[in-house]
């Protein structure tokens, strides 16, 4: 298999990043003194700004009118912001009165963040509804400028420096939203773009999981975080798949809706948590491991090429009958 094929595969790069990060972590090889929390926070923010700017720059300027496409926007907001946030928030409030409330705070940052910026390119690859993904991404990320501070304030209150949080959110999301609009006409080879984004993801997974201190926590806490992550990724993903397929919703919309609901932007959660609430990285790092497994499952099973071709052929046959 060619190196370019591996580098352009999100599933492979994520699995490789997870393996390297775990070896680095449990082998004690992470350079914690050099890459201290402040440095990791700055590196994560810079990497994420580049990723989001490049991802959003592929979103065209047309067909974004929220008034004309109200139903599409409503679906993206309800699925990608509201429903996707419920399980992590419930998990946090169940754990906040225990001795591990600070670690559980990471669930709040997971709940607050929008879906991944790669929902659009993945929708295109998987024959999803690209226009729905594009509109949803722009609107959800604009709303996230207020949504993230609101959710964090609602759950964590005065324990977080809200002024710093708002500033960081503006850096993470505001800058890419603005700068990306000037890059929409810039031609970027899709394979080159995929390699850049996958390498950024690899670096952030290594930086976050490799540096997280898993020691000193009870086994049941990890199990709780794993269960919450499984319910949030696999549970919500399957719930949308089953309910929408039963309702007769076609492949295109279903693929994008599943991605919006189950695939969170962990980079935003990492950047905010490292800067504001470092103990919460235990919950986020555990969630990353589960979400990488979910992405690999979607790529190889749920949205496999064989299943995609079968469903699209069946839909075409039904439309022409």
């Amino acid at each position: 298999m060619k190196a370019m094929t591996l580098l352009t595969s999100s599933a492979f790069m994520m699995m490789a990043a997870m393996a390297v990060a775990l070896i680095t972590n449990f082998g004690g090889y992470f350079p914690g003194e050099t890459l201290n929390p402040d440095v990791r926070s700055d590196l994560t923010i810079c990497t994420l700004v580049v990723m989001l700017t490049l991802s959003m720059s592929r979103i065209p300027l047309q067909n974004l009118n929220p008034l004309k496409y109200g139903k599409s926007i409503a679906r993206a907001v309800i699925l990608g912001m509201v429903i996707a946030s419920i399980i992590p928030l419930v998990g946090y409030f169940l754990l906040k009165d225990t001795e591990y409330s600070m670690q559980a705070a990471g669930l709040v940052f997971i709940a607050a963040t929008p879906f991944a910026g790669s929902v659009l390119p993945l929708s295109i690859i998987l024959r999803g509804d690209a226009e729905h993904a594009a509109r949803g991404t722009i609107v959800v990320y604009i709303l996230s400028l207020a949504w993230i501070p609101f959710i964090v304030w609602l759950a964590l209150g005065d324990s977080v420096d809200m002024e710093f949080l708002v500033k960081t959110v503006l850096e993470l999301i505001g800058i890419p939203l603005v700068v990306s609009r000037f890059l929409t006409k810039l031609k970027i080879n899709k394979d080159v773009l995929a390699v850049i984004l996958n390498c950024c993801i690899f670096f952030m997974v290594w930086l976050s999981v490799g540096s997280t201190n898993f020691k000193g926590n009870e086994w049941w806490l990890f199990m709780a975080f794993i269960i919450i992550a499984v319910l949030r990724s696999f549970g919500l993903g399957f719930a949308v798949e089953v309910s929408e397929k039963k309702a007769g919703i076609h492949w295109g919309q279903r693929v994008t809706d599943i991605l919006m609901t189950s695939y969170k932007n962990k980079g935003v959660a990492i950047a905010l948590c490292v800067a504001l609430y470092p103990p919460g990285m235990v919950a986020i790092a555990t969630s990353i491991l589960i979400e990488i497994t979910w992405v690999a499952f979607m790529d190889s099973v749920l949205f496999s090429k064989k299943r995609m071709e079968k469903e699209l052929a069946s839909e075409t046959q039904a439309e022409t009958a």
Side-chain angles (χ1 to χ4, degrees):
M1 187 177 290
K2 294 182 179 180
M4 181 60 75
T5 303
L6 296 176
L7 289 172
T8 55
S9 170
S10 296
F12 171 79
M13 290 294 284
M14 285 185 178
M15 294 298 290
M18 179 172 68
V20 172
L22 290 175
I23 292 171
T24 301
N25 189 313
F26 291 104
Y29 305 126
F30 190 83
E33 292 185 4
T34 302
L35 298 178
N36 58 58
D38 289 338
V39 174
R40 295 201 302 273
S41 177
D42 291 340
L43 286 173
T44 302
I45 290 172
C46 290
T47 305
L48 189 60
V49 167
V50 171
M51 285 183 64
L52 286 177
T53 300
L54 289 174
S55 296
M56 291 182 182
S57 72
R58 300 306 89 192
I59 298 176
L61 294 171
Q62 63 268 25
N63 299 324
L64 297 179
N65 189 336
L67 298 177
K68 186 177 179 180
Y69 302 98
K71 290 184 179 180
S72 172
I73 297 300
R75 278 208 320 273
V77 172
I78 293 172
L79 292 174
M81 297 184 76
V82 180
I83 292 178
S85 300
I86 293 174
I87 291 175
L89 283 177
V90 170
Y92 168 71
F93 284 112
L94 288 175
L95 294 169
K96 78 181 188 71
D97 293 325
T98 70
E99 60 182 303
Y100 297 104
S101 60
M102 294 188 70
Q103 290 90 331
L107 296 170
V108 175
F109 293 98
I110 294 173
T113 54
F115 52 75
S118 56
V119 163
L120 174 59
L122 284 174
S123 292
I124 294 172
I125 293 170
L126 300 169
R127 301 284 294 275
D129 188 337
E131 289 191 355
H132 170 44
R135 284 190 296 270
T137 300
I138 290 293
V139 171
V140 165
Y141 273 77
I142 290 174
L143 292 177
S144 290
L145 293 171
W147 177 260
I148 293 174
F150 170 71
I151 293 297
V152 174
W153 170 80
L154 182 69
L156 301 178
D158 296 334
S159 63
V160 172
D161 183 343
M162 293 303 298
E163 183 178 346
F164 182 78
L165 172 66
V166 172
K167 178 184 175 182
T168 306
V169 169
L170 288 173
E171 291 176 349
L172 286 172
I173 297 177
I175 292 175
L177 279 170
V178 174
V179 176
S180 66
R181 296 302 85 200
F182 296 98
L183 302 178
T184 54
K185 294 184 179 180
L186 178 66
K187 293 183 178 180
I188 304 176
N189 181 278
K190 65 178 183 179
D191 287 338
V192 172
L193 180 62
V195 170
I196 293 173
L197 294 178
N198 285 339
C199 287
C200 287
I201 291 172
F202 185 104
F203 176 68
M204 286 202 298
V205 170
W206 173 79
L207 193 65
S208 57
V209 176
S211 63
T212 299
N213 182 15
F214 292 105
K215 298 177 182 179
N217 296 300
E218 298 289 346
W219 67 268
W220 67 263
L221 182 66
F222 291 109
M223 287 304 302
F225 289 153
I226 288 173
I227 291 170
I228 291 167
V230 168
L231 289 174
R232 203 206 58 74
S233 294
F234 284 83
L236 285 179
F238 279 124
V240 174
E241 161 69 10
V242 172
S243 60
E244 290 199 350
K245 188 172 184 180
K246 188 175 181 180
I249 294 175
H250 287 188
W251 173 272
Q253 179 184 321
R254 210 162 70 237
V255 165
T256 302
D257 284 350
I258 291 170
L259 289 170
M260 286 179 172
T261 310
S262 65
Y263 190 18
K264 281 277 193 178
N265 190 327
K266 288 299 192 302
V268 174
I270 293 167
L272 294 175
C273 195
V274 169
L276 293 163
Y277 232 102
M281 277 303 302
V282 175
I284 296 176
T286 305
S287 179
I288 288 173
L289 301 180
I290 300 301
E291 191 152 287
I292 288 174
T293 308
W294 169 242
V295 170
F297 176 81
M298 285 193 292
D299 182 63
S300 60
V301 180
L302 189 62
F303 300 143
S304 67
K305 185 176 180 180
K306 182 178 180 181
R307 183 169 183 258
M308 176 175 64
E309 291 175 348
K310 182 180 179 181
E311 289 217 22
L312 290 174
S314 176
E315 289 175 6
T316 301
Q317 186 178 10
E319 289 173 358
T320 57

